[in-house]
Amino acid sequence: MEPPKMNPVVEPLSWMLGTWLSDPPGAGTYPTLQPFQYLEEVHISHVGQPMLNFSFNSFHPDTRKPMHRECGFIRLKPDTNKVAFVSAQNTGVVEVEEGEVNGQELCIASHSIARISFAKEPHVEQITRKFRLNSEGKLEQTVSMATTTQPMTQHLHVTYKKVTL
């Protein structure tokens, strides 16, 4: 079976497509946490619809034990650079983030965040993410967040190497 043709609406995000592995391990920090490292595998694909599908799966760098997981969709508003990022996470959080794609950089910020009734505190209240393809062809992601107890602070930074198209 022939792979589906990419919908032209998502062409501005084609630089994100593929399977990516953290290289080196990602770095996490936050005022309420001990600094940590993690490995992450990212799959960004399309099925011919006017959106991309994604999954982020992180693992402990030593034990390979699964850690954070999220999946969802990246949509572009047709004929604009406006982007929506919709994510469901294994922590019981669901996010809608919106922003813009400019060249090979995508900047988004939380529009709405919902959580299960027994989600761990402190609760996340705001998220920003920046994805960019650097000059070495690696994908970088920086995540900042604000919680009920902390102002907006960088939380994660990871660089990925593409392993498949």
Side-chain angles (χ1 to χ4, degrees), residues 22 24-26 37-41 57-62 64 67:
S22 54
Q37 290 191 320
Y38 62 100
L39 301 177
E40 190 159 58
E41 183 175 35
N57 300 297
S58 64
F59 303 88
H60 190 278
D62 299 324
R64 301 294 198 259
M67 294 169 59

Side-chain angles (χ1 to χ4, degrees), residues 69-146:
R69 303 172 78 81
E70 63 184 290
C71 60
F73 307 94
I74 306 172
R75 297 185 62 105
L76 263 102
K77 183 176 180 181
D79 303 317
T80 74
N81 68 338
K82 304 290 183 216
V83 177
F85 182 95
V86 181
S87 167
Q89 302 175 26
N90 66 337
T91 57
V93 174
V94 178
E95 299 175 34
V96 175
E97 299 172 34
E98 293 186 0
E100 297 181 344
V101 59
N102 290 298
Q104 295 181 328
E105 184 172 281
L106 171 62
C107 295
I108 50 181
S110 52
H111 176 272
S112 60
I113 299 175
R115 70 187 57 80
I116 59 176
S117 62
F118 50 93
K120 184 175 153 188
E121 292 187 16
H123 293 154
V124 175
E125 294 191 321
Q126 289 180 288
I127 293 274
T128 64
R129 295 184 203 236
K130 180 163 121 179
F131 294 92
R132 75 178 193 96
L133 195 64
N134 70 22
S135 59
E136 298 173 347
K138 292 185 174 186
L139 183 65
E140 293 182 38
Q141 179 182 195
T142 303
V143 178
S144 297
M145 70 179 183

Side-chain angles (χ1 to χ4, degrees), residues 14-88:
S14 62
W15 54 272
M16 297 181 79
L17 290 170
T19 298
W20 304 83
L21 294 176
S22 54
D23 181 33
T29 185
Y30 207 66
T32 57
L33 300 172
Q34 289 293 319
F36 63 94
Q37 290 191 320
Y38 62 100
L39 301 177
E40 190 159 58
E41 183 175 35
V42 177
H43 298 282
I44 302 175
S45 63
H46 73 90
V47 295
Q49 295 177 310
M51 70 196 73
L52 300 182
N53 308 316
F54 69 81
S55 66
F56 293 81
N57 300 297
S58 64
F59 303 88
H60 190 278
D62 299 324
T63 66
R64 301 294 198 259
K65 179 181 171 187
M67 294 169 59
H68 186 88
R69 303 172 78 81
E70 63 184 290
C71 60
F73 307 94
I74 306 172
R75 297 185 62 105
L76 263 102
K77 183 176 180 181
D79 303 317
T80 74
N81 68 338
K82 304 290 183 216
V83 177
F85 182 95
V86 181
S87 167

